[in-house]
């Protein structure tokens, strides 16, 4: 596909997309620090309140792939118009929420609309930038994501100290102001007829939904239903003329291994934005506003150093950045496992390592995986990466919620001396060991040849 639009228009377009990514990221991160407050107001458990994040991630994940497929049948500017308006309807619903189900409904509508953003973030660089500048475009959108993560907690902390937490639903509605620019700079790209395999998509949705419910409630019937849904999904994508997910993608070994690594890393990384507010609220007894401020240094550091990760990848290769990111993340998890229960200032300082490491890891893996795909499979391949990443986060947050609810009685981490932090100390010790395993897996698969097989596919 030829690049659409002029170079100047594309530069403006990618910056508008970065601004949209800032607001979209804020829509997620701003709610993390008020989960304890929502839990207390409606009398919920940690597992129940985690659905404020889980439901959002679930729909966001599937929606990213659906919007990506719809972009082959409808103009992207029209999809963005629909998605952002739907997002604003969800924001209004959440703003007026007087019961927990209204909070969830607002988040569901928000995610159904906002999931057009990650689809656009993958499609615009591919359609509007040549391959040699695609990493540059992806880097700008990633920087927008990091900036949103940095200012989201700040804005959230300021708002909740002045007004009710429901007003957090309003801030991301600023995305509506980007619509005129999208409609101006997005070209009227030619559209080919595409048939959406709704049966395959429905089977995937049933699989994921029942899996998450099974993780949350521990019911074997839900796991069985998820397995049946997955088998139906596999059957459907093998037989459908235009399957929801093309099974040929997974014959690309470099892509498949990169996808596996990304899913594992993202699932582990969700511990930082989800568990940290719970730790600071339950153990350190911080109010929501102070929790936001405690998380600011790490988010700011990742926003500032985001482009540095891209430059390191260009200069020394994606493998080098992955090793650096892994060491940062392992250090962060190990230190939190020891320091859970210490002063909040120590936790805030340690989070700098984790946030920067997670940003570097996502940049390196996304850049690498995007280059393992032929051009005609880039959209669906990167859409699948987004979907599985968010699903990994949804599953992991449910698991973390269950672990906090049921793991506080046993303190078997010998390195942590603090009372009342058993669940968090244990979880972060496990995550440390898991990330060491991931690093070793990556090294033994790719490190001995000095260059990952995924990167070798770029030069072929």
């Amino acid at each position: 596909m030829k690049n659409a639009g002029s170079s100047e228009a594309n530069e403006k377009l990618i910056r508008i997309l970065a601004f949209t990514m800032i607001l979209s990221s804020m829509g997620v991160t701003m709610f993390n620090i008020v989960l304890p407050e929502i839990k207390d107001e409606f009398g919920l458990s940690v597992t129940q309140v985690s659905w404020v994040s889980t439901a959002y991630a679930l729909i966001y994940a599937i929606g990213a792939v659906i919007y990506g497929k719809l972009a082959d049948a409808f103009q992207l500017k029209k999809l963005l118009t629909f998605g952002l308006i739907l997002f604003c309807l969800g924001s209004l619903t959440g703003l007026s929420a007087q019961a927990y189900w209204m909070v969830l409904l607002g988040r569901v509508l928000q995610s159904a609309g906002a999931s057009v953003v990650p689809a656009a973030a993958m499609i615009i660089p591919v359609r509007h930038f040549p391959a040699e500048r695609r990493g540059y475009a992806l880097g700008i959108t990633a920087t927008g994501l990091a900036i949103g993560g940095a200012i989201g907690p700040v804005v959230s902390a300021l708002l909740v100290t002045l007004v009710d937490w429901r007003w957090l639903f309003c801030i991301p509605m600023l995305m509506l102001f980007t619509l005129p620019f999208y409609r101006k700079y997005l070209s009227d790209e030619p559209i080919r007829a595409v048939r959406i395999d709704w049966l395959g998509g429905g089977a995937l949705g049933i699989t994921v939904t029942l899996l998450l419910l099974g993780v949350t409630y521990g019911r074997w019937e839900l796991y069985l239903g998820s397995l049946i849904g997955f088998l139906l999904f596999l059957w459907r994508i093998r037989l459908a003329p235009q399957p929801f997910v093309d099974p040929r993608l997974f014959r690309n070994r470099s892509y498949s291994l990169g996808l596996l690594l990304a899913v594992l890393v993202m699932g582990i990384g969700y511990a930082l934005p989800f568990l940290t507010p719970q730790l600071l609220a339950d153990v350190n007894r911080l109010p929501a506003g102070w929790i936001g401020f405690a998380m600011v240094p790490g988010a700011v550091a990742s926003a500032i150093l985001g482009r540095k990760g891209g430059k390191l990848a260009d200069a020394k290769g994606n493998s080098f950045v992955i090793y650096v990111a892994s060491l940062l993340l392992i250090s962060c998890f190990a230190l939190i496992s020891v320091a859970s229960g210490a002063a909040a200032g120590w936790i805030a300082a340690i989070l700098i390592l984790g946030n920067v490491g997670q940003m570097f890891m996502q940049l390196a893996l996304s850049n690498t995986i995007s280059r393992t795909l032929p051009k005609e499979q880039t959209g669906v391949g990167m859409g699948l990466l987004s979907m599985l990443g968010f699903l990994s986060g949804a599953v992991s947050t449910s698991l973390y919620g269950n672990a906090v609810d049921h793991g506080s009685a046993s303190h078997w981490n010998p390195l942590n001396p603090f009372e009342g932090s058993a669940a968090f100390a244990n979880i972060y010790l496990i995550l440390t060991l898991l990330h060491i395993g991931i690093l070793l897996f990556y090294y033994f698969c790719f490190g001995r040849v000095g260059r990952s097989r995924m990167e070798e596919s770029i030069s072929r």
Side-chain angles (χ1 to χ4, degrees):
M1 182 180 294
K2 296 181 179 180
N3 296 328
S6 67
S7 176
E8 181 181 356
N10 291 340
E11 291 291 334
K12 293 179 180 178
L13 180 61
I14 201 65
R15 282 169 171 76
I16 294 165
L17 179 60
F19 178 69
T20 310
M21 294 294 289
I22 292 173
L23 295 172
S24 177
S25 176
M26 288 175 63
V28 178
T29 59
M30 286 183 3
F31 277 87
N32 288 328
I33 71 168
V34 298
L35 290 181
E37 194 169 331
I38 296 174
K39 181 186 71 172
D40 293 340
E41 179 171 336
F42 295 106
L44 308 171
S45 67
V46 173
T47 300
Q48 289 173 321
V49 79
S50 71
W51 275 94
V52 173
S53 298
T54 300
Y56 193 98
L58 169 64
I59 298 173
Y60 204 78
I62 299 175
V65 176
I66 292 177
Y67 279 116
K69 286 185 169 291
L70 289 176
D72 289 329
F74 300 93
Q75 292 178 357
L76 186 56
K77 65 173 65 177
K78 294 181 179 179
L79 293 178
L80 280 163
T81 301
F82 171 80
L84 296 184
I85 290 176
L86 184 60
F87 177 86
C88 289
L89 290 176
S91 298
L92 293 174
T93 302
L95 177 63
S96 60
Q98 298 300 314
Y100 182 55
W101 69 266
M102 294 183 68
V103 177
L104 283 182
L105 177 61
R107 292 294 279 169
V108 165
L109 292 175
Q110 274 192 326
S111 62
S115 55
V116 72
V117 177
M122 296 298 176
I123 293 170
I124 288 176
V126 172
R127 291 184 178 177
H128 293 261
F129 287 83
E132 61 271 15
R133 300 194 70 229
R134 196 169 297 156
Y136 158 80
L138 288 170
I140 290 181
T141 59
T143 301
L145 186 68
I147 293 173
I151 66 176
V154 178
V155 174
S156 180
L158 291 174
L159 275 179
V160 297
T161 58
L162 299 173
V163 295
D164 188 80
W165 57 264
R166 291 169 179 81
W167 288 96
L168 296 181
F169 279 97
C170 288
I171 301 299
M173 291 176 66
L174 293 172
M175 281 193 289
L176 272 182
F177 291 101
T178 66
L179 272 180
F181 298 99
Y182 281 122
R183 299 189 68 85
K184 178 180 179 180
Y185 293 117
L186 279 174
S187 59
D188 295 327
E189 64 269 14
I191 300 301
R192 61 186 178 88
V194 173
R195 182 179 177 183
I196 304 297
D197 180 23
W198 295 111
L199 180 58
L204 179 60
I206 291 172
T207 299
V208 173
T209 301
L210 293 179
L211 174 62
L212 287 173
L213 290 173
V215 169
T216 302
Y217 298 107
R219 300 282 298 275
W220 67 267
E221 301 96 329
L222 297 171
Y223 287 117
L224 178 61
S226 179
L227 176 61
I228 294 173
F230 181 65
L231 294 176
L232 176 61
F233 171 72
L234 292 179
W235 169 78
R236 181 61 183 175
I237 64 173
R238 291 178 62 87
L239 298 180
Q242 297 184 32
F244 191 78
V245 175
D246 191 341
R248 291 178 298 176
L249 272 176
F250 303 106
R251 297 172 189 169
N252 182 337
R253 186 173 181 272
S254 296
Y255 172 77
S256 297
L257 286 174
L259 197 65
L260 174 62
L261 283 169
V263 167
L264 293 174
V265 167
M266 290 179 186
I268 293 174
Y270 265 81
L272 296 176
F274 179 75
L275 283 179
T276 305
Q278 300 294 332
L279 168 64
L280 295 174
D282 295 347
V283 179
N284 296 87
R285 304 298 180 186
L286 291 184
W290 285 105
I291 291 174
F293 286 118
M295 298 183 69
V296 165
V300 170
S302 65
I304 294 174
L305 297 176
R307 288 193 177 186
K308 181 65 174 179
K311 291 180 180 179
L312 281 175
D314 290 337
K316 298 190 175 183
N318 289 321
S319 292
F320 176 81
V321 178
I322 288 174
Y323 291 138
V324 172
S326 295
L327 292 176
L328 290 172
L329 286 166
I330 290 169
S331 300
C332 172
F333 292 139
L335 289 172
I336 294 181
S337 73
V338 174
S340 295
W346 287 108
I347 303 298
I350 295 170
L351 283 177
I352 295 175
L353 299 175
N355 285 14
V356 174
Q358 192 70 9
M359 169 57 66
F360 278 18
M361 184 69 77
Q362 289 178 1
L363 278 171
L365 285 176
S366 296
N367 191 26
T368 300
I369 292 171
S370 69
R371 297 186 182 186
T372 66
L373 295 165
K375 194 168 186 178
E376 64 273 12
Q377 292 183 334
T378 300
V380 65
M382 296 303 289
L384 188 60
L385 170 64
S386 295
M387 184 191 75
L388 291 180
F390 283 109
L391 291 181
S392 175
V395 171
S396 64
T397 53
S398 295
L399 291 173
Y400 297 146
N402 273 324
V404 172
D405 282 343
H406 303 294
S408 58
S410 176
H411 194 156
W412 44 261
N413 183 347
L415 301 177
N416 184 285
F418 300 99
E419 296 293 333
S421 62
F424 299 99
N426 296 342
I427 292 170
Y428 275 107
L429 178 59
I430 293 173
L431 294 180
T432 302
L433 298 176
L434 287 175
H435 231 300
I436 291 174
I438 290 174
L439 178 59
L440 292 174
F441 171 76
Y442 182 88
Y443 174 78
F444 284 112
C445 284
F446 308 117
R448 289 184 175 180
V449 298
R451 188 180 182 185
S452 76
R453 295 174 185 175
M454 291 184 291
E455 289 180 311
E456 287 178 354
S457 68
I458 299 173
S459 60
R460 289 177 184 151

mmCIF file of all heavy atoms in Angstrom, residues 143-169:
data_model
loop_
_atom_site.group_PDB
_atom_site.id
_atom_site.type_symbol
_atom_site.label_atom_id
_atom_site.label_comp_id
_atom_site.label_asym_id
_atom_site.label_seq_id
_atom_site.Cartn_x
_atom_site.Cartn_y
_atom_site.Cartn_z
ATOM 1 N N THR A 143 5.845 7.502 22.858
ATOM 2 C CA THR A 143 6.132 8.626 23.748
ATOM 3 C C THR A 143 4.833 9.240 24.264
ATOM 4 O O THR A 143 4.728 9.612 25.438
ATOM 5 C CB THR A 143 6.967 9.693 23.020
ATOM 6 O OG1 THR A 143 8.185 9.100 22.575
ATOM 7 C CG2 THR A 143 7.281 10.857 23.935
ATOM 8 N N GLY A 144 3.845 9.352 23.386
ATOM 9 C CA GLY A 144 2.539 9.846 23.822
ATOM 10 C C GLY A 144 1.941 8.958 24.886
ATOM 11 O O GLY A 144 1.365 9.443 25.872
ATOM 12 N N LEU A 145 2.105 7.658 24.712
ATOM 13 C CA LEU A 145 1.613 6.708 25.711
ATOM 14 C C LEU A 145 2.309 6.927 27.052
ATOM 15 O O LEU A 145 1.676 6.908 28.114
ATOM 16 C CB LEU A 145 1.841 5.288 25.211
ATOM 17 C CG LEU A 145 1.275 4.148 26.044
ATOM 18 C CD1 LEU A 145 -0.249 4.157 26.017
ATOM 19 C CD2 LEU A 145 1.806 2.808 25.542
ATOM 20 N N ALA A 146 3.623 7.154 27.005
ATOM 21 C CA ALA A 146 4.382 7.358 28.235
ATOM 22 C C ALA A 146 4.016 8.676 28.911
ATOM 23 O O ALA A 146 3.915 8.750 30.141
ATOM 24 C CB ALA A 146 5.879 7.329 27.926
ATOM 25 N N ILE A 147 3.832 9.721 28.113
ATOM 26 C CA ILE A 147 3.455 11.016 28.692
ATOM 27 C C ILE A 147 2.100 10.909 29.385
ATOM 28 O O ILE A 147 1.893 11.448 30.475
ATOM 29 C CB ILE A 147 3.437 12.107 27.612
ATOM 30 C CG1 ILE A 147 4.862 12.359 27.103
ATOM 31 C CG2 ILE A 147 2.826 13.398 28.150
ATOM 32 C CD1 ILE A 147 4.925 13.304 25.929
ATOM 33 N N GLY A 148 1.163 10.199 28.760
ATOM 34 C CA GLY A 148 -0.133 9.994 29.396
ATOM 35 C C GLY A 148 -0.001 9.265 30.706
ATOM 36 O O GLY A 148 -0.670 9.603 31.692
ATOM 37 N N GLY A 149 0.902 8.267 30.742
ATOM 38 C CA GLY A 149 1.138 7.564 31.992
ATOM 39 C C GLY A 149 1.772 8.450 33.046
ATOM 40 O O GLY A 149 1.563 8.257 34.239
ATOM 41 N N ALA A 150 2.547 9.448 32.584
ATOM 42 C CA ALA A 150 3.212 10.335 33.528
ATOM 43 C C ALA A 150 2.254 11.349 34.136
ATOM 44 O O ALA A 150 2.258 11.576 35.350
ATOM 45 C CB ALA A 150 4.363 11.059 32.827
ATOM 46 N N ILE A 151 1.434 11.982 33.298
ATOM 47 C CA ILE A 151 0.567 13.042 33.815
ATOM 48 C C ILE A 151 -0.767 12.519 34.322
ATOM 49 O O ILE A 151 -1.455 13.213 35.075
ATOM 50 C CB ILE A 151 0.336 14.136 32.742
ATOM 51 C CG1 ILE A 151 -0.469 13.584 31.560
ATOM 52 C CG2 ILE A 151 1.640 14.729 32.283
ATOM 53 C CD1 ILE A 151 -0.808 14.644 30.522
ATOM 54 N N GLY A 152 -1.122 11.278 33.936
ATOM 55 C CA GLY A 152 -2.380 10.719 34.411
ATOM 56 C C GLY A 152 -2.485 10.678 35.918
ATOM 57 O O GLY A 152 -3.454 11.175 36.496
ATOM 58 N N PRO A 153 -1.493 10.098 36.605
ATOM 59 C CA PRO A 153 -1.562 10.092 38.075
ATOM 60 C C PRO A 153 -1.559 11.485 38.690
ATOM 61 O O PRO A 153 -2.193 11.710 39.726
ATOM 62 C CB PRO A 153 -0.301 9.304 38.471
ATOM 63 C CG PRO A 153 0.026 8.473 37.288
ATOM 64 C CD PRO A 153 -0.362 9.297 36.104
ATOM 65 N N VAL A 154 -0.828 12.436 38.063
ATOM 66 C CA VAL A 154 -0.793 13.799 38.595
ATOM 67 C C VAL A 154 -2.171 14.431 38.520
ATOM 68 O O VAL A 154 -2.686 14.989 39.504
ATOM 69 C CB VAL A 154 0.233 14.657 37.821
ATOM 70 C CG1 VAL A 154 0.237 16.082 38.349
ATOM 71 C CG2 VAL A 154 1.620 14.047 37.927
ATOM 72 N N VAL A 155 -2.779 14.365 37.322
ATOM 73 C CA VAL A 155 -4.107 14.942 37.141
ATOM 74 C C VAL A 155 -5.106 14.257 38.055
ATOM 75 O O VAL A 155 -5.960 14.902 38.684
ATOM 76 C CB VAL A 155 -4.543 14.829 35.663
ATOM 77 C CG1 VAL A 155 -5.986 15.293 35.488
ATOM 78 C CG2 VAL A 155 -3.613 15.649 34.777
ATOM 79 N N SER A 156 -4.996 12.922 38.150
ATOM 80 C CA SER A 156 -5.903 12.171 39.009
ATOM 81 C C SER A 156 -5.748 12.590 40.462
ATOM 82 O O SER A 156 -6.739 12.802 41.174
ATOM 83 C CB SER A 156 -5.640 10.673 38.852
ATOM 84 O OG SER A 156 -6.502 9.922 39.664
ATOM 85 N N ALA A 157 -4.491 12.710 40.907
ATOM 86 C CA ALA A 157 -4.241 13.091 42.299
ATOM 87 C C ALA A 157 -4.798 14.476 42.604
ATOM 88 O O ALA A 157 -5.389 14.699 43.666
ATOM 89 C CB ALA A 157 -2.740 13.051 42.584
ATOM 90 N N LEU A 158 -4.615 15.407 41.660
ATOM 91 C CA LEU A 158 -5.128 16.757 41.869
ATOM 92 C C LEU A 158 -6.655 16.780 41.904
ATOM 93 O O LEU A 158 -7.268 17.447 42.752
ATOM 94 C CB LEU A 158 -4.609 17.689 40.771
ATOM 95 C CG LEU A 158 -3.111 18.006 40.804
ATOM 96 C CD1 LEU A 158 -2.721 18.817 39.573
ATOM 97 C CD2 LEU A 158 -2.746 18.754 42.081
ATOM 98 N N LEU A 159 -7.268 16.033 41.001
ATOM 99 C CA LEU A 159 -8.728 16.044 40.923
ATOM 100 C C LEU A 159 -9.365 15.438 42.169
ATOM 101 O O LEU A 159 -10.324 15.993 42.714
ATOM 102 C CB LEU A 159 -9.194 15.301 39.674
ATOM 103 C CG LEU A 159 -9.242 16.102 38.372
ATOM 104 C CD1 LEU A 159 -9.710 15.232 37.219
ATOM 105 C CD2 LEU A 159 -10.172 17.308 38.510
ATOM 106 N N VAL A 160 -8.832 14.273 42.599
ATOM 107 C CA VAL A 160 -9.489 13.591 43.710
ATOM 108 C C VAL A 160 -9.294 14.328 45.034
ATOM 109 O O VAL A 160 -10.010 14.060 45.999
ATOM 110 C CB VAL A 160 -9.001 12.134 43.840
ATOM 111 C CG1 VAL A 160 -9.369 11.333 42.603
ATOM 112 C CG2 VAL A 160 -7.514 12.072 44.115
ATOM 113 N N THR A 161 -8.320 15.232 45.090
ATOM 114 C CA THR A 161 -8.184 16.054 46.298
ATOM 115 C C THR A 161 -9.150 17.240 46.286
ATOM 116 O O THR A 161 -9.383 17.855 47.330
ATOM 117 C CB THR A 161 -6.748 16.588 46.429
ATOM 118 O OG1 THR A 161 -6.408 17.341 45.260
ATOM 119 C CG2 THR A 161 -5.766 15.442 46.615
ATOM 120 N N LEU A 162 -9.716 17.548 45.112
ATOM 121 C CA LEU A 162 -10.611 18.698 44.984
ATOM 122 C C LEU A 162 -12.063 18.294 44.753
ATOM 123 O O LEU A 162 -12.977 18.937 45.286
ATOM 124 C CB LEU A 162 -10.144 19.604 43.832
ATOM 125 C CG LEU A 162 -8.740 20.206 43.965
ATOM 126 C CD1 LEU A 162 -8.364 20.937 42.685
ATOM 127 C CD2 LEU A 162 -8.662 21.148 45.160
ATOM 128 N N VAL A 163 -12.273 17.259 43.946
ATOM 129 C CA VAL A 163 -13.631 16.863 43.580
ATOM 130 C C VAL A 163 -13.759 15.347 43.693
ATOM 131 O O VAL A 163 -12.794 14.640 43.990
ATOM 132 C CB VAL A 163 -13.987 17.323 42.144
ATOM 133 C CG1 VAL A 163 -14.024 18.835 42.050
ATOM 134 C CG2 VAL A 163 -12.998 16.750 41.131
ATOM 135 N N ASP A 164 -14.953 14.852 43.433
ATOM 136 C CA ASP A 164 -15.231 13.426 43.510
ATOM 137 C C ASP A 164 -14.490 12.675 42.408
ATOM 138 O O ASP A 164 -14.245 13.203 41.320
ATOM 139 C CB ASP A 164 -16.741 13.200 43.360
ATOM 140 C CG ASP A 164 -17.138 11.764 43.628
ATOM 141 O OD1 ASP A 164 -17.242 11.395 44.810
ATOM 142 O OD2 ASP A 164 -17.327 11.018 42.640
ATOM 143 N N TRP A 165 -14.143 11.392 42.672
ATOM 144 C CA TRP A 165 -13.390 10.597 41.704
ATOM 145 C C TRP A 165 -14.136 10.414 40.388
ATOM 146 O O TRP A 165 -13.524 10.109 39.356
ATOM 147 C CB TRP A 165 -13.050 9.223 42.300
ATOM 148 C CG TRP A 165 -14.234 8.411 42.756
ATOM 149 C CD1 TRP A 165 -14.735 8.338 44.011
ATOM 150 C CD2 TRP A 165 -15.066 7.560 41.942
ATOM 151 N NE1 TRP A 165 -15.826 7.507 44.054
ATOM 152 C CE2 TRP A 165 -16.052 7.013 42.797
ATOM 153 C CE3 TRP A 165 -15.072 7.223 40.600
ATOM 154 C CZ2 TRP A 165 -17.032 6.140 42.334
ATOM 155 C CZ3 TRP A 165 -16.053 6.344 40.127
ATOM 156 C CH2 TRP A 165 -17.010 5.812 40.991
ATOM 157 N N ARG A 166 -15.453 10.578 40.367
ATOM 158 C CA ARG A 166 -16.216 10.398 39.126
ATOM 159 C C ARG A 166 -15.812 11.387 38.033
ATOM 160 O O ARG A 166 -15.987 11.116 36.844
ATOM 161 C CB ARG A 166 -17.718 10.528 39.416
ATOM 162 C CG ARG A 166 -18.288 9.378 40.243
ATOM 163 C CD ARG A 166 -19.684 9.681 40.729
ATOM 164 N NE ARG A 166 -20.254 8.581 41.502
ATOM 165 C CZ ARG A 166 -19.989 8.352 42.777
ATOM 166 N NH1 ARG A 166 -19.154 9.143 43.430
ATOM 167 N NH2 ARG A 166 -20.558 7.336 43.405
ATOM 168 N N TRP A 167 -15.273 12.531 38.452
ATOM 169 C CA TRP A 167 -14.857 13.525 37.469
ATOM 170 C C TRP A 167 -13.672 13.052 36.633
ATOM 171 O O TRP A 167 -13.354 13.660 35.601
ATOM 172 C CB TRP A 167 -14.532 14.848 38.160
ATOM 173 C CG TRP A 167 -15.762 15.552 38.642
ATOM 174 C CD1 TRP A 167 -16.302 15.515 39.894
ATOM 175 C CD2 TRP A 167 -16.634 16.378 37.864
ATOM 176 N NE1 TRP A 167 -17.448 16.267 39.962
ATOM 177 C CE2 TRP A 167 -17.683 16.808 38.729
ATOM 178 C CE3 TRP A 167 -16.642 16.799 36.536
ATOM 179 C CZ2 TRP A 167 -18.715 17.627 38.291
ATOM 180 C CZ3 TRP A 167 -17.663 17.621 36.092
ATOM 181 C CH2 TRP A 167 -18.691 18.022 36.969
ATOM 182 N N LEU A 168 -13.053 11.947 37.042
ATOM 183 C CA LEU A 168 -11.980 11.387 36.223
ATOM 184 C C LEU A 168 -12.495 10.917 34.865
ATOM 185 O O LEU A 168 -11.720 10.807 33.910
ATOM 186 C CB LEU A 168 -11.311 10.218 36.950
ATOM 187 C CG LEU A 168 -10.577 10.537 38.255
ATOM 188 C CD1 LEU A 168 -9.963 9.270 38.830
ATOM 189 C CD2 LEU A 168 -9.510 11.587 38.042
ATOM 190 N N PHE A 169 -13.785 10.636 34.785
ATOM 191 C CA PHE A 169 -14.356 10.212 33.512
ATOM 192 C C PHE A 169 -14.334 11.340 32.469
ATOM 193 O O PHE A 169 -14.447 11.079 31.276
ATOM 194 C CB PHE A 169 -15.806 9.743 33.710
ATOM 195 C CG PHE A 169 -15.937 8.337 34.209
ATOM 196 C CD1 PHE A 169 -16.123 8.078 35.553
ATOM 197 C CD2 PHE A 169 -15.877 7.264 33.344
ATOM 198 C CE1 PHE A 169 -16.255 6.779 36.033
ATOM 199 C CE2 PHE A 169 -15.999 5.959 33.797
ATOM 200 C CZ PHE A 169 -16.193 5.720 35.141
#
